[in-house]
Amino acid sequence: MVSYKELGLVNTREMFAKAIKGGYAIPAFNFNNMEQLQAIIKAAAETKSPVILQVSKGARNYANQTLLRYMAQGAVEYAKELGWEKPQICLHLDHGDSFELCKSCVDFGFSSVMIDASSLPYEENIALTKKVVDYAHQYDVTVEAELGVLAGVEDEVSSAVSHYTKPEEVVDFATRTGCDSLAISIGTSHGAYKFTPEQCTRDPKTGKLVPPPLAFDVLDAIMEQLPGFPIVLHGSSSVPQEYVDMINAMGGKLPDAVGIPEEQLRKASKSAVCKINIDSDSRLAFTAAVRKVLTEKPGEFDPRKYCGVARDFMEELYKHKIINVLGSDGKA
Ligand code: G3H
Ligand code: 13P
Ligand code: ZN
């Protein structure tokens, strides 16, 4: 058993309380490799922003859980080296799907876990979430739960509205589970194809898709039911068209990729939404950089040359999100 406190990490409790009071959101960036982690820590250290490092089950399988844990521990020391005296870094399990996985992360030094039982029937979601909360809280590890189902392009159900979080359930859910934060569904979704072309309109000038707005009325109703309770938005990449265009211009194929407009995330950040999850944008930045270097210099074969540029692209992206979208700069 390793406590995250020994590793210099923090849980989300204080981060979220301050973010709600201050009208900003904490960035939750996924990482799977060294370059992503370096870029996240550099961006957070330079902007003095609290940050949540997210590890998915897929990341654990890809990079090895032991290595990831030590990388996160190393990240705290790296942040200090960069001149960030008291780094506010949380190590969080993203989309944990079982009690065993969550327990293993708690035992292994994570400071926060998500139990995503949102696809289960309501009572089963409550039972599993409560089991994780009861375990995690013994070690002061915070727990994110999810209520409602994020729509996706694979979604066969025609009305996305039917998957939104039901405001009338949130008080019962939060009270009975004891969760520390709640991920909700108000129209965001995972990946680079958040909406089908049919769900969007098209800008007549650029031909680009314009997505439907997030359901701020549902968010307002949830906040009315649970005043001051930390709310989380998953699937919040904006899918920057500059990266999509670069990728497409250099041999890639991402037709009609579309994300959540940043103005809407800016608006959400000022509310009780205090954690915003971004993964796909970093993947796009990385891929755009690699394609650019390899297209412009076909003879390049040193991975440091293209992964280094990818790291620079991601660092710029993270700083932009922190400063211009979430407003968490200077808050750590
Ligand atoms: O919400 C999902 C995250 O983007 C992680 O994705 O499961 O492919 O690592 P992954
Ligand atoms: P994106 O795919 O929009 O980046 O969402 C990431 C996420 O929600 C991770 O949990
Ligand atoms: Zn997610």
Side-chain angles (χ1 to χ4, degrees), residues 30 32 56 58-59 94-95 190 234 279 283:
N30 291 67
N32 293 265
S56 69
D94 191 26
H95 293 284
H190 292 107
H234 280 248
D279 185 5
R283 297 178 181 195

Side-chain angles (χ1 to χ4, degrees), residues 9 29-31 33-54 71-84 87-91 311 314-315 318-319 322:
L9 298 161
F29 298 132
N30 291 67
F31 83 101
N33 61 36
M34 182 187 74
E35 286 79 7
Q36 271 180 317
L37 184 59
Q38 288 173 316
I40 295 168
I41 295 303
K42 272 192 89 183
E46 276 178 31
T47 58
K48 293 285 180 297
S49 168
V51 73
I52 296 172
L53 299 174
Q54 300 204 127
M71 283 169 78
Q73 190 176 348
V76 176
E77 298 310 313
Y78 179 45
K80 288 182 191 161
E81 255 179 46
L82 292 170
W84 193 6
Q88 296 290 296
I89 301 174
C90 165
L91 180 62
R311 188 172 61 192
M314 291 187 290
E315 188 187 331
Y318 295 136
K319 279 194 213 158
I322 287 170

Side-chain angles (χ1 to χ4, degrees), residues 140-310:
D140 205 18
V141 169
T142 40
V143 179
E144 175 184 327
E146 181 164 328
L147 197 52
V149 177
L150 264 64
V153 284
E154 304 86 12
D155 196 348
E156 293 299 323
V157 183
S158 57
S159 169
V161 177
S162 65
H163 295 274
Y164 289 166
T165 304
K166 295 186 181 117
E168 62 274 21
E169 288 180 346
V170 296
V171 172
D172 182 62
F173 185 85
T175 312
R176 287 172 62 198
T177 61
C179 65
D180 300 282
S181 60
L182 186 64
I184 60 164
S185 168
I186 57 165
T188 61
S189 82
H190 292 107
Y193 296 91
K194 299 195 183 298
F195 305 99
T196 60
E198 294 72 41
Q199 290 173 305
C200 303
T201 51
R202 221 173 256 279
D203 184 324
K205 278 193 201 133
T206 61
K208 294 278 185 192
L209 295 176
V210 180
L214 296 181
F216 279 99
D217 54 333
V218 176
L219 173 61
D220 287 343
I222 291 168
M223 291 191 300
E224 208 176 302
Q225 293 292 318
L226 280 178
F229 194 82
I231 302 296
V232 177
L233 284 189
H234 280 248
S236 295
S237 276
S238 305
V239 187
Q241 290 303 301
E242 56 178 299
Y243 299 143
V244 174
D245 290 346
M246 277 174 77
I247 292 169
N248 287 339
M250 288 179 288
K253 209 170 179 187
L254 295 175
D256 288 335
V258 64
I260 310 297
E262 288 184 339
E263 317 78 81
Q264 297 193 35
L265 298 170
R266 216 171 282 133
K267 179 174 168 185
S269 299
K270 294 186 176 132
S271 71
V273 169
C274 56
K275 173 175 180 270
I276 291 193
N277 287 11
I278 296 170
D279 185 5
S280 297
D281 284 355
S282 159
R283 297 178 181 195
L284 290 166
F286 196 116
T287 303
V290 171
R291 280 198 179 273
K292 182 171 160 34
V293 175
L294 294 182
T295 303
E296 289 172 356
K297 295 180 187 159
E300 188 54 74
F301 68 98
D302 179 346
R304 292 172 298 186
K305 294 289 163 39
Y306 47 85
C307 289
V309 176

